[in-house]
Amino acid sequence: MTGRNFRLRRLRGNDAARPQRKRGAQPKVVALGGGMGLSASLTALRRITGDLTAVVTVADDGGSSGRLRDELGVLPPGDLRKALAALCGDDDWGQTWSRVIQHRFSSRGDLHDHAVGNLLIVALWEQLGDHVQALDLVGRLLGAHGRVLPMSAVPLELQALVRGHDPLRPDDVDTVRGQATVALTPGEVQSVHLVPQGPPAVPEAVAAVLDADWVVLGPGSWFSSVIPHLLVPELLDALVETKARRVLSLNLAPQPGETDGFSPQRHLEVLGRHAPKLALDVVLADEAAVPDRESLADAAKRLGAAVELAPVAAPDGSPKHDPELLAAAYDRIFRMHGRIGPWR
């Protein structure tokens, strides 16, 4: 038994000794991702469960997050802030605090474009010296309907092998560094990795995945928000070992730069190459965004998954998920696909 697997078993503990939830209790759901994709998923999921944990990427190096990271050596707080804002309730308290932490200063000085929530999170990190405790405290202040955790306590750099990053050399494969640069590359991303390689996972994130009833991965920037979770060894081991059902939520459209020209099934193929041991149970896609349903079903089957097609896009035609429709799709999946928890 490897040391990493031993730690996973310690985190899982004795299943027989766990306190059993009462029949009718809500499922434990863990959602992994970053940026606006994770926010969309959390906004939907908080409508159908009160036991929700977000595990967030920490490789952002642009904007306010990048500046704070460079100046203070901290984790980039931006995606963590977005997740907390998405977990705010729809009442006046929740919506007010959501707007406050998302507010950005506009000035000619050093505060320009810094988000209030980023500064608050970093201040609490410095005060408490504990990433998880600080984020839990912010969540309580906001009345967040769930918990937000970083996937690692180490600031990470995303690197990618990209074919044609330089348009003057379309056949060359270059190493592109930085999440912001990878997300906007005009070339074709071949693969991504993290620096440092094999970073440690936050133990609470590993424990949440092991203890979940459902794990939701995506939607979001495929190479810079979704796949990075699979590059943290302890987190990947937990995703492979967990007894939870695994749902992969696909994007509504390819992302300019990062996944230009990708079909829905190609998203699955890329994910499978980065984590060949990971099996899925359900792939959720918008029915209008899948031109070739048979090919998607074949790609999903290779990952062990069934495909669920549902209308989840915003009615205005933008490539954004509608929170109510996405919530309905998740709820239907949780009800139909072999619920394994005592809430049946």
Side-chain angles (χ1 to χ4, degrees):
M1 183 187 303
T2 67
R4 195 163 67 225
N5 287 336
F6 177 74
R7 287 193 296 275
L8 287 178
R9 281 160 175 75
R10 288 189 63 189
L11 284 167
R12 180 185 291 280
N14 186 342
D15 289 338
R18 286 185 187 177
Q20 295 298 308
R21 278 166 283 157
K22 295 180 180 179
R23 185 175 296 276
Q26 299 180 83
K28 289 187 176 183
V29 181
V30 176
L32 301 94
M36 299 310 298
L38 177 61
S39 295
S41 207
L42 295 174
T43 303
L45 287 166
R46 68 173 168 81
R47 285 166 161 77
I48 59 175
T49 183
D51 198 337
L52 178 58
T53 300
V55 179
V56 184
T57 54
V58 286
D60 190 8
D61 62 349
S64 171
S65 286
R67 290 162 59 194
L68 290 168
R69 172 178 174 161
D70 290 344
E71 184 173 343
L72 301 175
V74 296
L75 294 180
D79 284 351
L80 298 161
R81 181 200 79 244
K82 292 173 186 175
L84 285 162
L87 291 175
C88 287
D90 295 322
D91 57 359
D92 288 343
W93 180 274
Q95 289 307 294
T96 297
W97 275 109
S98 178
R99 291 192 300 270
V100 168
I101 67 169
Q102 295 282 56
H103 175 75
R104 290 184 182 273
F105 296 103
S106 179
S107 74
R108 297 180 180 178
D110 292 339
L111 275 178
H112 178 69
D113 206 38
H114 272 307
V116 171
N118 288 357
L119 301 177
L120 174 62
I121 290 169
V122 172
L124 282 169
W125 283 342
E126 292 191 345
Q127 287 287 315
L128 301 178
D130 186 297
H131 293 99
V132 172
Q133 185 182 355
L135 289 167
D136 285 345
L137 186 58
V138 178
R140 290 199 296 272
L141 173 66
L142 273 53
H145 294 226
R147 191 182 196 192
V148 173
L149 299 168
M151 70 178 186
S152 178
V154 178
L156 303 172
E157 179 184 76
L158 186 72
Q159 294 188 1
L161 294 179
V162 180
R163 184 183 301 278
H165 179 67
D166 183 347
L168 299 178
R169 299 182 289 109
D171 296 325
D172 289 0
V173 176
D174 296 312
T175 297
V176 176
R177 296 173 172 82
Q179 181 177 346
T181 305
V182 171
L184 297 175
T185 179
E188 179 182 337
V189 179
Q190 306 290 299
S191 63
V192 291
H193 62 275
L194 296 173
V195 177
Q197 292 192 9
V202 167
E204 291 86 350
V206 174
V209 170
L210 291 174
D211 196 41
D213 297 309
W214 286 89
V215 173
V216 177
L217 189 62
S221 301
W222 216 243
F223 288 105
S224 51
S225 292
V226 176
I227 289 177
H229 290 279
L230 310 180
L231 306 178
V232 179
E234 290 173 329
L235 195 54
L236 176 58
D237 287 347
L239 288 166
V240 170
E241 183 178 325
T242 182
K243 294 179 181 178
R245 302 281 182 172
R246 307 166 190 86
V247 181
L248 179 69
S249 186
L250 290 176
N251 295 330
L252 299 171
Q255 181 177 344
E258 192 169 311
T259 54
D260 266 332
F262 274 36
S263 63
Q265 54 269 24
R266 188 172 177 190
H267 284 76
L268 300 189
E269 293 163 359
V270 166
L271 184 139
R273 289 202 303 270
H274 283 83
K277 293 182 180 180
L278 179 64
L280 302 173
D281 294 283
V282 181
V283 172
L284 172 62
D286 184 80
E287 55 190 8
V290 182
D292 187 345
R293 298 186 180 188
E294 184 176 348
S295 294
L296 178 59
D298 289 342
K301 187 176 181 180
R302 288 192 288 272
L303 298 177
V307 173
E308 281 291 331
L309 299 177
V312 294
D316 61 6
S318 64
K320 296 179 180 179
H321 288 82
D322 179 89
E324 298 292 345
L325 293 176
L326 187 58
Y330 283 141
D331 188 55
R332 185 168 57 254
I333 288 170
F334 293 174
R335 292 177 183 277
M336 291 177 59
H337 286 269
R339 279 190 162 182
I340 59 176
W343 66 92
R344 286 180 291 186

